[in-house]
Amino acid sequence: MIEKFCELGGGALDMDTFASEASWEAALTAAGGVRALVEELEDREDVVGFAVSRPPGHHALPDRAMGFCLFNNVAVSAAYLRSRGERVAILDWDVHHGNGTQEMLADDPGVLYVSIHQDSFYPFEGQIGDIEAGQAKGTVVNVPLPAGTAGDVYRRAWAELVVPVVEQFLPDWVLISAGFDAHANDELAGFFLESDDYGWMSAHLATIHPASRTIYTLEGGYDLTALRQSTHSALLGSSGVSPNGSSSRRSPPSAMAAFSEAANAIGRYWRV
């Protein structure tokens, strides 16, 4: 459908998802680029992969484009890896929940999907209780946090919830839906992360999972300066260069309450 739609000149697929005549090739390149990185890294030990993919992918559903996304770039590569019997953890730090990724992979016990995202915000999915749903209970880990959340609580969620779950899941590959729209300078959402927060998270992940089996796939991020600086910080972190100091911004009390609620639900399945 997407191919035919683009051949006819494109247009609006929904209220915020547009395609042009060239979008078909761009979308194939974005999805194929992530898989190409998997193939490139298979025989390497000295690199980390970053796919500068546009259009993004984590909202795309099996039968529908959505939220700027035409194909689900991360899910395509996860399915490829699963076809070979490999275990995959998908970590989604975009400010929006990756509803398409969750829908496609939630029933597969060999895929772990973890999302930290802004609560009560587009696409209005990604609830804590989803960990109980589907056939692979415990493998969908959502941490919805309120608007105003900054790096202090976000880092704590990453260190105390995300990384321990990944470590226990023992994935062969980690695919990161690396949206940078949770940055304080990105006006499309209400989180207040700074560029160094992304570097800190990457460095922390690198202590428990090899960088050469980690792939970053660009999702959201609409302030170009913040996007550039955050990407730079994340890649430095993946090589073990962690930013000095803690996050300079502070979250509202409601963020810590949301963290605790998520921790209680996750703790029924994982040691956190």
Side-chain angles (χ1 to χ4, degrees):
M1 184 275 287
I2 296 293
E3 181 180 17
K4 296 296 183 185
F5 188 79
C6 293
E7 283 179 358
L8 294 172
L13 288 157
D14 65 23
M15 64 183 295
D16 58 8
T17 308
F18 294 82
S20 70
E21 191 171 349
S23 294
W24 169 246
E25 183 177 357
L28 288 182
T29 303
V34 183
R35 173 168 168 169
L37 274 176
V38 171
E39 295 170 347
E40 177 73 19
L41 266 61
E42 282 180 315
D43 299 320
R44 302 284 297 274
E45 299 293 337
D46 58 340
V47 294
V48 63
F50 191 101
V52 187
S53 45
R54 282 287 188 267
H58 71 157
H59 296 308
L61 297 159
D63 58 355
R64 182 162 68 91
M66 178 181 176
F68 307 161
C69 305
L70 300 185
F71 303 131
N72 198 310
N73 308 322
V74 162
V76 167
S77 286
Y80 167 65
L81 288 166
R82 289 295 296 138
S83 72
R84 306 188 321 185
E86 300 194 68
R87 293 169 66 80
V88 181
I90 300 173
L91 311 183
D92 192 333
W93 69 36
D94 191 280
V95 77
H96 304 93
H97 177 254
N99 58 305
T101 308
Q102 177 174 316
E103 178 171 324
M104 282 194 248
L105 301 170
D107 291 332
D108 186 346
V111 177
L112 173 71
Y113 177 69
V114 184
S115 176
I116 307 179
H117 52 272
Q118 185 173 326
D119 195 14
S120 303
F121 195 54
Y122 184 90
F124 305 100
E125 297 187 40
Q127 303 306 310
I128 293 172
D130 293 348
I131 197 169
E132 308 279 358
Q135 298 177 25
K137 295 186 186 302
T139 60
V140 172
V141 178
N142 285 315
V143 185
L145 299 172
T149 296
D152 55 345
V153 172
Y154 204 107
R155 289 191 187 195
R156 185 168 178 181
W158 188 262
E160 298 182 21
L161 303 181
V162 177
V163 170
V165 170
V166 173
E167 191 169 18
Q168 292 166 65
F169 184 74
L170 296 173
D172 298 297
W173 290 83
V174 171
L175 309 181
I176 299 177
S177 278
F180 295 101
D181 42 4
H183 196 283
N185 293 346
D186 200 305
E187 296 182 354
L188 290 189
F191 276 7
F192 291 98
L193 268 60
E194 298 170 329
S195 299
D196 280 356
D197 292 322
Y198 295 103
W200 185 91
M201 290 189 291
S202 294
H204 200 62
L205 177 65
T207 64
I208 61 105
H209 186 79
S212 59
R213 292 296 178 270
T214 303
I215 289 178
Y216 296 78
T217 303
L218 185 60
E219 299 283 3
Y222 310 102
D223 181 285
L224 295 185
T225 299
L227 179 60
R228 181 176 65 251
Q229 293 173 347
S230 299
T231 299
H232 179 253
S233 182
L235 290 176
L236 282 177
S238 71
S239 64
V241 181
S242 184
N244 294 323
S246 58
S247 183
S248 64
R249 295 175 182 261
R250 293 292 171 263
S251 304
S254 58
M256 201 54 226
F259 165 87
S260 298
E261 184 180 356
N264 287 335
I266 297 166
R268 292 195 286 270
Y269 291 89
W270 305 95
R271 297 185 305 276
V272 295

